Amino acid sequence: MNTDATDGGRTLGDGTRAVRAGLPEPVKYEPTLPGPVFAAHFHLPGDPTGPYTYGRDENPTWTHLERAIGELEAPGEPEVETLVFASGMAAISAVLFSQLKAGDTVVVPSDGYQALPLVHEQLRAYGIEVRTAPTAGDAQLSELQGARLLWIETPSNPGLDVCDIRRLVDAAHEAGALVAVDNTLATPLGQRPLLLGADFSVASDTKGMTGHGDILLGHVSCRDPLRAAEVRRWRKIVGAIPGPMEAWLAHRSLATLQLRIDRQCTTALALAEALSKREDVTGLRYPGLPGDPSHTVAASQMRRFGPVVSFVLPDKAVAERFLGGLRLVDDATSFGGVRSTAERRGRWGGDSVPEGFVRFSVGAEDPEDLIADVMRALDRAAG
């Protein structure tokens, strides 16, 4: 079922869209969401004129999910194409390596996802110039001259800085560069990069899109059919494809996306407000807080501010005691799930953060229970 932007002239809400996105037209006695199709090959007599030929190229379960994500990324724009991948890094790599060649220049955030430096090494090995600048203050603008691609991550992970997507897109396009936005933290319900002018919207759907911490998945959405074909070709070459079961689980999970995200964002703001009153918490960041340095820009382009709150405790020992004292929060290195998670990011060594820096992902627990657990753990950690 191709859910249009409106129903009888009335704009559909995010919850309605999430519940119905990507469903096929109803067939009597058939399930509303067909089960996963497990197939390495398909019956293929004569010339290969149909959509499904070989399992590395296409799969009906992917098709339903890709249509669903496309409807969330750009409601009412059926020309937008989405491709799903085995992980978020597979999706990121597909854009970078399908769009860049030796001699090109790419501009990336210096404060982005921890695995990006590994990608930088590979890009440079292929003869591609990599320039970096922070997310805050739209600093990447200063590096655009001669660039082929601008990579934006907003809000940034884990620092939660925000840049002005429209401003950066306009400047990049004027300079002849394409723009890709890592939209993992916001999800399409929080921010729609394609509607803000970006050429690619990319995400790790391992996080908020699927929200249960049980599958790895990623996607790329774009409006230009030539760019989509290039990304598709890269996926075929490297075989970075999701399993049908993972794709089916992801589609099923989208039905609760609006319910999950709204609960998480509401609680994240309440948690940030509670943390702001504590003297032992510094460096508090949440784009939804009116006093946050990124709030003004975030409010101009984000529809929801995401589930992640970051803050700094006095040192490593206090942070570890805090994490160890939590009862309703898992110490894990992901975010966006229905179960709250938190971690001391300094343990990985890849982020430029203090030893006491904590990235906290708010889940779907009752707000009162979660905040009480956090406050109790902070009190004990400080003692």
Side-chain angles (χ1 to χ4, degrees):
M1 178 177 294
N2 186 3
T3 310
D4 294 328
T6 61
D7 180 18
R10 184 180 181 278
T11 300
L12 295 177
D14 286 339
T16 302
R17 191 178 309 285
V19 166
R20 306 207 61 83
L23 298 181
E25 293 297 329
V27 177
K28 192 174 184 179
Y29 306 126
E30 292 293 323
T32 54
L33 176 61
V37 175
F38 298 99
H41 57 264
F42 302 83
H43 288 296
L44 195 65
D47 294 331
T49 57
Y52 304 110
T53 59
Y54 186 63
R56 191 179 71 250
D57 299 334
E58 294 290 349
N59 178 289
T61 310
W62 302 352
T63 300
H64 295 313
L65 175 60
E66 289 172 341
R67 288 174 179 169
I69 294 174
E71 290 169 18
L72 298 176
E73 286 277 10
E77 299 191 20
E79 70 276 13
V80 167
E81 293 188 55
T82 295
L83 295 107
V84 290
F85 289 83
S87 68
M89 282 307 300
I92 289 170
S93 298
V95 173
L96 291 170
F97 292 108
S98 70
Q99 300 304 307
L100 298 169
K101 64 182 185 303
D104 285 343
T105 296
V106 60
V107 180
V108 298
S110 58
D111 54 343
Y113 178 52
Q114 188 188 51
L116 282 181
L118 298 176
V119 180
H120 300 173
E121 293 177 15
Q122 195 62 55
L123 289 167
R124 291 184 176 112
Y126 289 158
I128 296 164
E129 180 185 355
V130 179
R131 301 175 188 163
T132 64
T135 298
D138 301 339
Q140 290 172 289
L141 287 171
S142 64
E143 302 293 338
L144 288 176
Q145 186 62 41
R148 163 67 179 166
L149 176 67
L150 168 63
W151 190 273
I152 296 171
E153 184 180 305
T154 181
S156 62
N157 172 28
L160 301 182
D161 278 317
V162 173
C163 60
D164 187 329
I165 296 177
R166 291 185 187 90
R167 183 185 181 200
L168 285 164
V169 164
D170 289 345
H173 286 170
E174 185 176 351
L178 298 168
V179 181
V181 178
D182 185 332
N183 200 42
T184 300
L185 198 146
T187 80
L189 295 197
Q191 184 170 261
R192 291 187 169 125
L194 296 182
L195 302 190
L196 296 171
D199 300 287
F200 301 94
S201 180
V202 188
S204 168
D205 301 319
T206 307
K207 313 296 195 301
M209 285 286 277
T210 56
H212 291 80
D214 51 10
I215 59 175
L216 296 176
L217 202 79
H219 81 267
V220 176
S221 294
C222 58
R223 191 177 280 111
D224 187 328
L226 293 178
R227 301 286 84 82
E230 291 163 350
V231 174
R232 187 184 303 275
R233 180 174 180 271
W234 178 262
R235 182 178 70 176
K236 178 175 181 176
I237 290 171
V238 300
I241 60 173
M245 190 66 190
E246 286 81 1
W248 184 84
L249 285 170
H251 196 170
R252 185 190 68 167
S253 297
L254 288 181
T256 61
L257 178 61
Q258 184 259 347
L259 296 173
R260 291 185 280 109
I261 293 295
D262 277 358
R263 176 62 168 261
Q264 290 168 293
C265 292
T266 299
T267 306
L269 178 58
L271 175 62
E273 290 172 341
L275 290 170
S276 70
K277 300 173 183 175
R278 295 191 64 104
E279 293 183 358
D280 54 345
V281 171
T282 61
L284 176 65
R285 297 300 304 273
Y286 183 65
L289 274 176
D292 187 89
S294 293
H295 180 72
T296 300
V297 175
S300 73
Q301 64 191 21
M302 298 185 73
R303 303 164 65 246
R304 295 170 175 86
F305 297 107
V308 178
V309 178
S310 69
F311 53 94
V312 179
L313 296 179
D315 55 36
K316 175 181 177 179
V318 173
E320 292 290 358
R321 288 199 298 271
F322 164 67
L323 294 169
L326 293 166
R327 295 292 176 263
L328 302 179
V329 182
D330 297 331
D331 192 338
T333 186
S334 193
F335 61 85
V338 292
R339 289 176 292 278
S340 292
T341 61
E343 70 168 337
R344 192 181 64 82
R345 288 298 293 176
R347 65 181 175 175
W348 299 103
D351 296 311
S352 297
V353 296
E355 285 293 330
F357 181 98
V358 174
R359 183 183 69 183
F360 195 109
S361 175
V362 174
E365 299 88 358
D366 286 311
E368 298 82 3
D369 294 337
L370 183 64
I371 293 172
D373 188 42
V374 170
M375 295 300 118
R376 179 188 53 78
L378 284 171
D379 289 341
R380 292 188 177 182

